[in-house]
Amino acid sequence: REVKRLVRVERDLESIRRRIDRSGGDLVRRFDVIEAELRRRGLVDGWRLTSRGEVLAGLYHESDLLLAEALLDGCFDDLDTAELAALASCFVYEHRSPDPPPAPWFPSGEVARRHSAIAELARGINGFERHHGLPETRPPDPGFVPVAHGWVLDLELGDVLDDRRISAGDFVRTARQLIDLLRQLGQVADGAVARTARRAARELDRGLVAATRVDEDEPDPHGDAGALGSSRDGTT
């Protein structure tokens, strides 16, 4: 009986070793594929990050590559605080209701064009991911655009939610995620975009949104320092 048990354990161990070998090979393949794509996009040069790659490395977001490409392509340039917050909200909001979402609304034709440009970037990234069997980046969702835009403009909660079918709880959760993202943009972007992103984060953090801030270590929203450090520690 002991011999049989030993044989069974050794057989199980061998099966585990084979699975580990297969898993390790897949990780190496994924690494090589992703490294080649980052090199093609000018984000890495050998084992070094380029200046473009530094932007990507400074972002902590599920769609970090799409976000970095949008930032580097100028999609956030020359927007005011409400417009920038509205456009950035496409990266944090996701329509989850079984009901169809309301028709997209944008504060200007220019913001609509910027959203279309980001959606085109997402399609390019998704094509690469599908080709290599990688998890796909979520495309930008404009469902929170009018809400973010109105809240930055100091409208009342009832007015910004209107017929968006977004609960107050979902509004607060999404707004806090958007504030974190804007602060990250305030850290990694250049010049005017960084300043506008920081202002947008401060202007979003008011009323009900500010009242739900429970992280005592979160930087003063009225200061220029971003929350990148706290988001890196997972305490957003």
Side-chain angles (χ1 to χ4, degrees):
R1 283 198 301 272
E2 291 302 321
V3 170
K4 287 182 178 179
R5 185 176 297 117
L6 178 59
V7 169
R8 186 165 58 251
V9 169
E10 288 182 343
R11 188 169 57 244
D12 290 344
L13 284 173
E14 182 58 30
S15 175
I16 291 170
R17 288 192 193 98
R18 286 196 298 270
R19 287 203 297 272
I20 291 174
D21 288 343
R22 287 196 298 271
S23 169
D26 186 56
L27 285 174
V28 170
R29 182 192 68 82
R30 287 190 176 202
F31 177 86
D32 288 342
V33 164
I34 293 171
E35 188 273 337
E37 180 65 9
L38 294 179
R39 184 164 14 93
R40 187 185 72 81
R41 291 176 179 267
L43 299 167
V44 297
D45 180 12
W47 289 100
R48 294 179 301 150
L49 289 171
T50 64
S51 58
R52 291 173 61 87
E54 293 286 353
V55 172
L56 175 61
L59 294 169
Y60 291 78
H61 189 271
E62 61 174 339
S63 304
D64 51 4
L65 178 58
L66 175 60
L67 184 59
E69 291 283 274
L71 178 60
L72 292 165
D73 279 8
C75 292
F76 295 102
D77 292 357
D78 304 317
L79 299 178
D80 63 30
T81 52
E83 291 172 333
L84 196 149
L87 188 62
S89 75
C90 297
F91 291 89
V92 298
Y93 179 75
E94 183 176 7
H95 180 76
R96 297 179 181 274
S97 170
D99 299 326
W105 177 91
F106 298 98
S108 68
E110 184 58 34
V111 175
R113 285 189 289 274
R114 304 289 181 92
H115 174 267
S116 295
I118 294 171
E120 183 61 29
L121 288 172
R123 283 190 287 272
I125 292 172
N126 289 161
F128 158 75
E129 291 164 337
R130 279 193 297 273
H131 180 73
H132 293 284
L134 300 173
E136 291 190 29
T137 298
R138 183 173 61 80
D141 187 331
F144 203 75
V145 164
V147 179
H149 189 265
W151 192 249
V152 170
L153 293 180
D154 211 26
L155 299 183
E156 295 296 325
L157 182 61
D159 294 329
V160 299
L161 293 184
D162 194 21
D163 62 347
R164 292 283 113 186
R165 285 170 267 176
I166 298 173
S167 69
D170 286 341
F171 162 72
V172 170
R173 177 181 56 81
T174 305
R176 295 234 59 88
Q177 291 175 342
L178 178 55
I179 289 169
D180 176 68
L181 177 57
L182 289 167
R183 286 175 174 160
Q184 291 190 48
L185 292 176
Q187 290 281 349
V188 302
D190 291 328
V193 174
R195 291 190 294 272
T196 303
R198 291 194 292 267
R199 283 199 305 273
R202 293 197 297 270
E203 292 170 13
L204 273 170
D205 200 9
R206 67 174 181 88
L208 182 62
V209 177
T212 60
R213 194 183 335 115
V214 295
D215 184 359
E216 295 299 326
D217 295 327
E218 188 172 330
D220 180 0
H222 301 293
D224 270 352
L228 188 57
S230 63
S231 70
R232 286 175 175 174
D233 293 336
T235 55
T236 301

